[in-house]
Amino acid sequence: MAESTELKAKDFSNGSDVKWCPGCGCFPILKGVQRAMAEIGVDKSQQMVISGIGCSSRFPYYMSTFGFHTLHGRAPTIAVGAKLANPSLGAWIITGDGDCLSIGGNHFIHLMRRNLDINMLLFNNEIYGLTKGQASPTSKTGTVSKTTPLGSVDTPMQALPMALSAGASFAARVLDSDIKTMVEVFKQAEAHKGTAFIEILFNCVTFSDGIHDLYKKKDTKTVTTIKLTHGQPLLYGAENEKGFVLDGTKLKVIDVTDTNKAEVLVFDDKDVNLSYLLSKLEYPEFPIPLGILKKVERPTYEALYAAQVDDAIEKWGEGDLDKTLRGDDFWETK
Amino acid sequence: MEKEAVSSTHQLSQVSIRFAGDSGDGIQLTGERFTTTSAIMGEEVATLTDFPAEIRAPLGTVGGVSGFQLSFGAGDVFTAGDEVNALVVMNPAALKINLMHLKKKGILIINKDSFVEKNIQKAGYDTDPREDGSLKDYQLVEVGITSMTKEALKETGLKPKDVERCKNFFALGLTFWLYQRDLTPTQDWLDLKFAKKPDVANANKLALKAGWIFGEATELLVHSYEIDHKDVHRAPGLYRHVTGNKALSLGLVTASKKLERPLFIGSYPITPATEVLQELSAMKHLGVTSFQAEDEIAAIGSAIGASFAGQLSVTSTSGPGFALKSEFLNLAVITELPLVVVNVQRCGPSTGLPTKTEQADLFQALWGRNGESPLVVLAASSPVDCFKMAFEAARLAVKYMTPVVLLSDNYLANGSQVWKIPDVSSLPELQPGYDLSKNTPDGPFSRDSITMARPWLSPGMPGSEHRLGGLEKEPVTGNVSFDAYGHEKMVHERADKINLVANDYPPLPMYGSEDADLLVIGWGSTYGSIRWAVDKLTAKGIKVAFTHLRYLNPLPNDLKPLMKKFSKILVPENNMGQMYLRLGGEFNEKLVPFNKNTGTPFKEKEIEEKILEVLES
C-alpha cells in the first residue's frame, strides 16, 4: 500500500468528463470519496466501485479504480459475489433512493444482514433524476412530480431504520454540503470491518432543488439537525439549549437547564436501541440525526465463510477431486 | 428353486422394474439401491424418477405417490423402459396410478397389508381392484410386506414406527431374489450409512434378508430371473452410478480444477435444479464458494460479480428462475464475462409442473433477452453426459469470454446411469481465450486474434483498472460510447465471436444408416429413446439415420450440409416444436415435428412408431 501522504484525491479520478448537471450534489460526494481514499491511502487496483442505475450510479466511470455499472437495484449482488471471490478487495456500492429502496430493496436488506466488509453509499435526493423527475420511495407524501401530478399518496420510506432493522453494523447519515464530515465518515466506514451504510442527503438541482436545504442552511440547521458524537450528550440548538431524554420508550426533547442537564442522554454508537430510536426521527417533529448512528463489531460474512472452508478441509481433506468423483459407492471393473 | 434365464437377445437382455408407494415409503432409496447393485454387478442401468411436487401429500392418496423405475441388463440401456416387467406397489394409490406402466402378464407385487377398505377408497377405487377382475391380465403376487417385516424384526427391540420404516428393504430383498441380485453391496452400504446406528443397519439388513427368503420360499412366485452376463463388456476402470444433477456438479468442479481457478456458485433453491447447489455446497474443501442468494436475480448477480473477480462462476436454476435472470444474463453478454447458467428445465409456463420434464425453454435460452444478445447454448443428452457438457460449458465460457447456457431437464437431473469415473489428468487443461502471458491488451475490450475473446482482467490486477457496465462500449477501450456506428460494430463483434464457437465443436455423431432417406434430429434428453428406436429399426434392416445435437447455439457447422442429404427430417421434442422451428421447419416441408407435452419423456416405442409412420408417408 502506498503511503497516504503521497496520494491526492485526483489520483482516484480517471480524467473522464464528469457528466452530471452543473451544481449536482454528486460532485462533492465524488470528491469526498476520492479524498477519503487518498487520505486512507488505498491502492486503486484493489478497490471496486460498484453501482446500480441512476444519475449517481454513473459514479464508477469517474473513478480510477475498478468499476462496475451494473443493473437497476442490483449492485449489492455483484459486490457480494466479487467480495466473496476475493475478500481482500475493497468494495464501495453507489446507489440512489430509487435504486436501493425500490427496485433493489431485497438486495439492500440482505446486504445489511450478511455484513460483508462493504461500504454502501445511498445518494438520497427524494426523486428519480435520470428518468426526469418522478416520485421516489423517499419522496414526502404529497410530492408533486410527473407521475404524481396531484401529489404522491405513498408513505416515504426511511432508509436508516430499515438498514438497522436488517442488521447493519455501521450506519451513518451525512450531507453533500459537508465534505469534511463526509470524508471523516467514509474513512471510518472503510476502517469498519463489516457493512457500512451511509445515507447521503444530496441535492438534485434539476428536479428536487433545495429539498434538503433546511438541514444545510445556517439559520435552520441548528434546529433541524442534531450532530451525533459518540460519548457526548444528545444536545442541539444554536446554544445547545435542546436535549434528548428518554420518556418511557420514546425520545423526548427538553429545554436544557442546569438542573435537568444530567438527564440528557449520552450518545453511545454501540447502543442499538438508541440508534434505532434516533434513526426514526423526522423533521419537523424532531431534528434529524447526522453523523454515525451505529458502529458495532460483529463477524463478517466472509470471515464466517472462511472458517467454514477450514472446517470442510479438516473434515473432508483438502482438494482431493479424485476422491470426490469416486464418491462412497464406486467399484472397479478389471 | 427353478430359475428361468431372461433371453440374452438385445431386446430381452434388459429388465425394467418400477417401485411405487407413498412419498414417505422410501421408494427413491429402494430404487437407488437396486440401481447401484445392478451397476456393481456389471450391468448397464437407466433410471426414471416420478415424484409429486408436494413433500408429503396426504397419506394413501394418488397425489402423494412416488415412483422409481429402472432398466438394467447387458448391452446398451438407453432409457428406463417403456413398460416394466415387474411393478412393486406399497399401497392402493400407487397401484391406481402405476398399473398402466406394467406389461400385460407382468409381475405385480402388492403390499396386501395396505389394501384395507379405507386405503382402497382413498385411492379412488369403487371396488377392491383385486376382486373386480381388473388385475386379471397380470401375475398378481400379494405379499404382507408390512406384517412380515414386523415379524422379522420383532426381536430387534426397535420402536414400531422404526420397524415399519424398514418395509422398503423387505420389498427390495424380495425383488433382489426375483432378479438374483447380490445382497452384499446393500449390506455394506447399510453398515456404512448407519455406522453410528448399528441397530438400524441391522434391522434393515434383517428386512432385506427376510424379503429374499420369502421370495425363495413362496409359491406365489414361480421363477426368479437372471441377466445373461455374456454381453456384459465393460472397459476396465472405476465406476459409479450418478444422477444428472450430480454429474453436472462434478463436471463443474472438475472444470475449475483444470482451469486452476476456484469455482463460485450463486444459486437459489428451485426444483429440479436444487441438487446442483446442494452438491457444490458440500465441496468447499475443493475450493468451491457456494452462495445461497436472496433470490434468483441476486444468484446470477453474485456469479457475475465473482466472474468479474476472476473465478469460474455458475448459477443454476429452472425455467421460472431463468426468466428472472434474463436481465443479468444480458449484462454478462455485454460485459463479455464468462458465466455458466444451468437451466434444469421443467414443465411451464409459469410454475407449471415443477417435478415433470419438458424441453420448452430452448427459445428462452436462445432469445429470451432484449437486444441482440448472442450467447452459447448447450444441452446434455443423458445423465452421464451432464458431466461432459458441464465441463464443455465451462471450457467455452472462459475460452470465448461469454455466458453459456447449459440446458438439462428434470428427466436427466433425477435419472441415473452407470458412469465411468474419468481420470482427471486425462482431461484437457482449460485456458482463458485471451492469453495475458503472451499479449498485452490495449484495452479491456481488445480481442484475441483467433477466439475474439477479450482479456479477463480482474480487480486486484495492478494496471488493469477499468470500468464495466451495461451501457454500449467503444471497441477496444470499453469506454461508454453512444456512437451509432460504434454500436453497430460492437453488435457484430459480439455476434461474430459467438459464431466462432462452432469451430470448436466435435463432429456431429451419426447413428443408424447414413444412406437412409430419413434423418432424425434430436437434442437434449431425447437421445436415449431415439437411439433405442433407431438401433432397433437398424437391426431389423430398416434404414433410418440419427444425429443428436448437444451444441445448440451456434448450431454446428456440419448440420446444414447433413440436413441437405436427407429427404425427410424428423425432430422429436418434449415441447411444441422449438428446435423444429429453429431449423426452419415452418417453411420447409422436409421437416416433421414430433412433440410430446405430458411431462414424461418419449417412450422408445413412440419414437419407433413415428419413424415408421414418417417412412411410410
Side-chain angles (χ1 to χ4, degrees):
Chain A
M1 190 180 284
E3 288 295 317
S4 59
T5 50
E6 291 175 9
L7 289 168
K8 299 221 159 52
K10 69 173 169 49
D11 293 320
F12 293 92
S13 158
N14 67 20
S16 314
D17 293 338
V18 181
K19 294 175 185 167
W20 288 310
C21 303
C24 175
C26 288
F27 285 98
I29 307 171
L30 177 64
K31 184 64 70 188
V33 170
Q34 291 170 341
R35 196 181 290 173
M37 284 189 176
E39 288 181 19
I40 300 162
V42 299
D43 176 348
K44 66 179 181 180
S45 74
Q46 306 296 317
Q47 297 296 316
M48 303 180 287
V49 179
I50 300 171
S51 63
I53 295 290
C55 291
S56 58
S57 285
R58 296 293 176 92
F59 199 101
Y61 291 124
Y62 310 131
M63 297 291 294
S64 63
T65 61
F66 284 90
F68 207 149
H69 178 218
T70 72
L71 301 182
H72 202 16
R74 316 296 176 205
T77 73
I78 297 270
V80 166
K83 184 77 184 170
L84 283 174
N86 187 352
S88 67
L89 297 171
W92 300 71
I93 293 171
I94 307 296
T95 185
D97 38 311
D99 192 66
C100 178
L101 300 172
S102 248
I103 196 164
N106 195 29
H107 309 309
F108 163 58
I109 292 167
H110 288 271
L111 183 73
M112 295 302 128
R113 84 165 163 123
R114 290 196 180 105
N115 198 39
L116 284 98
D117 191 9
I118 290 174
N119 307 315
M120 184 186 228
L121 277 49
L122 167 64
F123 291 47
N124 182 3
N125 59 5
E126 300 186 11
I127 199 79
Y128 282 90
L130 197 58
T131 47
K132 302 189 175 127
Q134 298 78 28
S136 94
T138 54
S139 298
K140 304 261 184 322
T141 307
T143 296
V144 174
S145 75
K146 286 176 184 163
T147 49
T148 53
L150 304 175
S152 74
V153 292
D154 266 323
T155 302
M157 202 170 249
Q158 291 181 288
L160 281 167
M162 273 184 74
L164 293 173
S165 307
S169 58
F170 181 109
R173 179 191 276 146
V174 296
L175 299 170
D176 60 354
S177 53
D178 182 1
I179 292 206
K180 192 167 160 253
T181 307
M182 201 195 306
V183 170
E184 181 52 33
V185 169
F186 290 164
K187 283 163 73 177
Q188 291 213 35
E190 179 58 11
H192 175 72
K193 291 280 163 235
T195 302
F197 175 75
I198 303 153
E199 180 186 32
I200 308 167
L201 304 183
F202 88 117
N203 196 41
C204 172
V205 289
T206 311
F207 298 108
S208 62
D209 194 21
I211 196 88
H212 302 304
D213 278 1
L214 273 175
Y215 312 127
K216 299 176 182 176
K217 287 192 172 150
K218 229 177 191 170
D219 54 339
T220 50
K221 69 180 184 182
T222 55
V223 289
T224 58
T225 68
I226 175 168
K227 284 201 170 185
L228 305 179
T229 309
H230 177 66
Q232 296 297 315
L234 288 166
L235 297 169
Y236 69 102
E239 309 287 329
N240 276 346
E241 71 279 12
K242 303 262 185 196
F244 277 100
V245 295
L246 209 53
D247 179 18
T249 58
K250 296 185 180 71
L251 288 175
K252 192 174 92 177
V253 174
I254 57 166
D255 293 321
V256 180
T257 61
D258 281 343
T259 47
N260 66 12
K261 214 160 112 182
E263 292 169 31
V264 174
L265 287 166
V266 172
F267 178 60
D268 176 0
D269 62 17
K270 312 272 181 292
D271 182 340
V272 295
N273 294 327
L274 183 57
S275 297
Y276 186 77
L277 290 176
L278 288 166
S279 76
K280 292 289 289 179
L281 300 181
E282 286 184 295
Y283 188 79
E285 223 184 328
F286 295 102
I288 62 160
L290 295 173
I292 296 167
L293 274 93
K294 180 181 174 185
K295 194 165 89 173
V296 297
E297 293 293 324
R298 68 180 176 98
T300 63
Y301 187 99
E302 56 269 41
L304 294 170
Y305 195 89
Q308 277 207 344
V309 172
D310 291 343
D311 285 352
I313 289 170
E314 195 167 309
K315 210 165 153 185
W316 299 316
E318 189 167 3
D320 193 342
L321 178 60
D322 287 311
K323 194 175 155 198
T324 304
L325 293 181
R326 288 195 301 271
D328 298 332
D329 230 1
F330 71 98
W331 66 91
E332 186 170 8
T333 299
K334 291 189 176 163
Chain B
M1 175 72 38
E2 182 194 357
K3 288 175 186 166
E4 184 182 89
V6 172
S7 163
S8 63
T9 58
H10 181 84
Q11 297 94 316
L12 295 176
S13 62
Q14 291 177 24
V15 174
S16 298
I17 182 168
R18 179 180 269 251
F19 298 92
D22 255 326
S23 54
D25 280 342
I27 295 300
Q28 301 301 319
L29 180 66
T30 310
E32 282 164 22
R33 292 326 305 162
F34 200 109
T35 305
T36 302
T37 299
S38 305
I40 291 175
M41 290 172 71
E43 294 160 11
E44 296 302 322
V45 290
T47 72
L48 170 75
T49 55
D50 182 10
F51 44 81
E54 294 78 18
I55 301 304
R56 291 281 163 91
L59 275 179
T61 61
V62 292
V65 174
S66 165
F68 189 105
Q69 182 174 325
L70 76 144
S71 279
F72 55 99
D76 291 328
V77 176
F78 294 118
T79 75
D82 288 357
E83 292 181 307
V84 296
N85 305 75
L87 172 66
V88 181
V89 295
M90 301 303 273
N91 67 12
L95 176 67
K96 173 100 177 175
I97 60 168
N98 284 288
L99 190 62
M100 59 190 262
H101 300 294
L102 182 61
K103 277 183 184 161
K104 292 281 181 284
K105 299 200 184 343
I107 299 167
L108 173 60
I109 297 172
I110 67 169
N111 179 12
K112 70 177 176 191
D113 296 325
S114 70
F115 275 70
V116 295
E117 199 182 335
K118 189 184 69 177
N119 290 345
I120 291 168
Q121 278 175 356
K122 260 202 239 174
Y125 283 115
D126 295 329
T127 54
D128 188 335
R130 298 171 299 172
E131 287 159 12
D132 63 10
S134 57
L135 305 179
K136 66 178 167 34
D137 290 335
Y138 309 97
Q139 301 178 49
L140 178 63
V141 184
E142 293 191 56
V143 186
I145 294 177
T146 312
S147 53
M148 282 195 286
T149 303
K150 283 182 184 162
E151 180 64 22
L153 270 56
K154 68 180 177 199
E155 279 163 22
T156 57
L158 282 182
K159 288 182 201 141
K161 192 184 74 184
D162 293 332
V163 167
E164 185 158 346
R165 288 180 66 176
C166 296
K167 67 177 187 290
N168 59 331
F169 274 81
F170 184 96
L172 184 65
L174 176 56
T175 55
F176 274 8
W177 172 81
L178 187 60
Y179 293 107
Q180 295 296 302
R181 310 282 87 184
D182 186 356
L183 293 178
T184 329
T186 302
Q187 289 164 337
D188 292 348
W189 178 84
L190 282 165
D191 283 336
L192 191 74
K193 172 96 181 161
F194 297 108
K196 285 180 184 155
K197 293 180 184 169
D199 51 338
V200 176
N202 282 330
N204 280 300
K205 280 155 75 178
L206 275 174
L208 182 74
K209 191 74 190 172
W212 175 285
I213 291 168
F214 173 77
E216 224 166 31
T218 185
E219 290 173 9
L220 293 169
L221 284 160
V222 184
H223 303 295
S224 69
Y225 300 86
E226 273 184 343
I227 297 293
D228 186 343
H229 277 200
K230 78 173 164 47
D231 279 344
V232 172
H233 303 294
R234 192 176 277 157
L238 296 178
Y239 289 86
R240 68 184 289 187
H241 99 266
V242 283
T243 62
N245 273 349
K246 178 101 188 175
L248 198 152
S249 310
L250 292 172
L252 293 170
V253 73
T254 303
S256 101
K257 177 97 171 169
K258 300 304 283 193
L259 180 65
E260 294 181 346
R261 287 180 190 240
L263 182 70
F264 181 96
I265 179 162
S267 282
Y268 186 78
I270 184 169
T271 303
T274 310
E275 290 83 8
V276 177
L277 173 61
Q278 289 175 182
E279 290 288 346
L280 291 169
S281 297
M283 295 188 198
K284 292 185 170 69
H285 60 308
L286 295 170
V288 178
T289 302
S290 64
F291 176 63
Q292 182 177 327
E294 59 269 27
D295 58 33
E296 293 280 359
I297 297 170
I300 184 173
S302 66
I304 292 172
S307 176
F308 178 49
Q311 294 198 341
L312 176 61
S313 297
V314 180
T315 185
S316 53
T317 189
S318 188
F322 191 77
L324 283 165
K325 291 181 196 298
S326 54
E327 188 188 15
F328 251 139
L329 195 47
N330 243 349
L331 185 68
V333 168
I334 199 168
T335 55
E336 301 186 44
L337 282 168
L339 176 73
V340 176
V341 181
V342 177
N343 178 353
V344 185
Q345 299 164 97
R346 65 191 214 188
C347 296
S350 190
T351 308
L353 297 172
T355 62
K356 306 293 174 197
T357 202
E358 205 162 74
Q359 297 181 292
D361 296 351
L362 174 61
F363 282 175
Q364 191 188 10
L366 291 171
W367 300 309
R369 294 169 297 285
N370 65 304
E372 291 295 344
S373 174
L375 46 67
V376 177
V377 182
L378 308 180
S381 61
S382 69
V384 163
D385 193 44
C386 287
F387 177 87
K388 177 75 200 303
M389 294 317 281
F391 191 88
E392 275 292 88
R395 179 180 75 88
L396 296 174
V398 299
K399 185 166 176 184
Y400 294 92
M401 292 292 286
T402 176
V404 176
V405 175
L406 173 58
L407 296 175
S408 174
D409 61 35
N410 182 66
Y411 175 41
L412 299 180
N414 292 302
S416 63
Q417 281 178 308
V418 174
W419 181 49
K420 185 170 190 290
I421 300 162
D423 175 6
V424 177
S425 63
S426 71
L427 295 168
E429 304 297 325
L430 303 189
Q431 297 284 350
Y434 189 105
D435 190 346
L436 282 164
S437 69
K438 290 185 185 140
N439 303 299
T440 307
D442 294 328
F445 284 78
S446 289
R447 295 188 185 280
D448 180 79
S449 57
I450 295 164
T451 62
M452 288 185 76
R454 73 174 191 89
W456 197 356
L457 304 169
S458 298
M461 295 166 71
S464 299
E465 295 83 0
H466 65 283
R467 272 62 58 190
L468 290 180
L471 287 169
E472 187 56 285
K473 288 147 208 6
E474 186 178 72
V476 184
T477 66
N479 291 335
V480 172
S481 167
F482 297 112
D483 175 61
Y485 294 102
H487 168 60
E488 182 165 48
K489 186 167 183 343
M490 289 303 280
V491 166
H492 280 280
E493 281 190 15
R494 289 187 287 264
D496 291 348
K497 183 180 77 169
I498 296 304
N499 287 334
L500 280 178
V501 177
N503 299 337
D504 217 332
Y505 296 165
L508 278 169
M510 284 303 301
Y511 309 99
S513 318
E514 283 197 53
D515 60 341
D517 292 331
L518 172 66
L519 171 69
V520 184
I521 298 180
W523 70 272
S525 66
T526 55
Y527 169 79
S529 305
I530 302 174
R531 179 76 197 278
W532 181 93
V534 168
D535 281 6
K536 191 175 172 199
L537 291 169
T538 304
K540 283 185 187 170
I542 295 169
K543 284 190 174 177
V544 55
F546 168 41
T547 190
H548 198 74
L549 304 177
R550 295 145 88 216
Y551 298 84
L552 310 185
N553 198 63
L555 284 167
N557 295 327
D558 44 353
L559 182 61
K560 201 170 162 185
L562 182 73
M563 287 171 68
K564 284 193 173 153
K565 290 190 204 163
F566 296 86
S567 57
K568 279 177 188 164
I569 296 170
L570 177 67
V571 189
E573 295 173 86
N574 280 125
N575 59 36
M576 289 292 279
Q578 297 187 12
M579 181 57 79
Y580 162 80
L581 287 172
R582 173 74 185 93
L583 298 177
E586 202 175 3
F587 299 105
N588 184 345
E589 288 176 4
K590 216 159 95 166
L591 270 73
V592 181
F594 184 35
N595 309 117
K596 182 172 182 179
N597 294 281
T598 57
T600 49
F602 281 105
K603 291 186 172 183
E604 297 160 340
K605 281 245 163 50
E606 289 169 342
I607 303 276
E608 185 188 354
E609 283 163 12
K610 185 70 186 180
I611 290 172
L612 289 172
E613 181 196 312
V614 174
L615 282 173
E616 282 158 21
S617 66

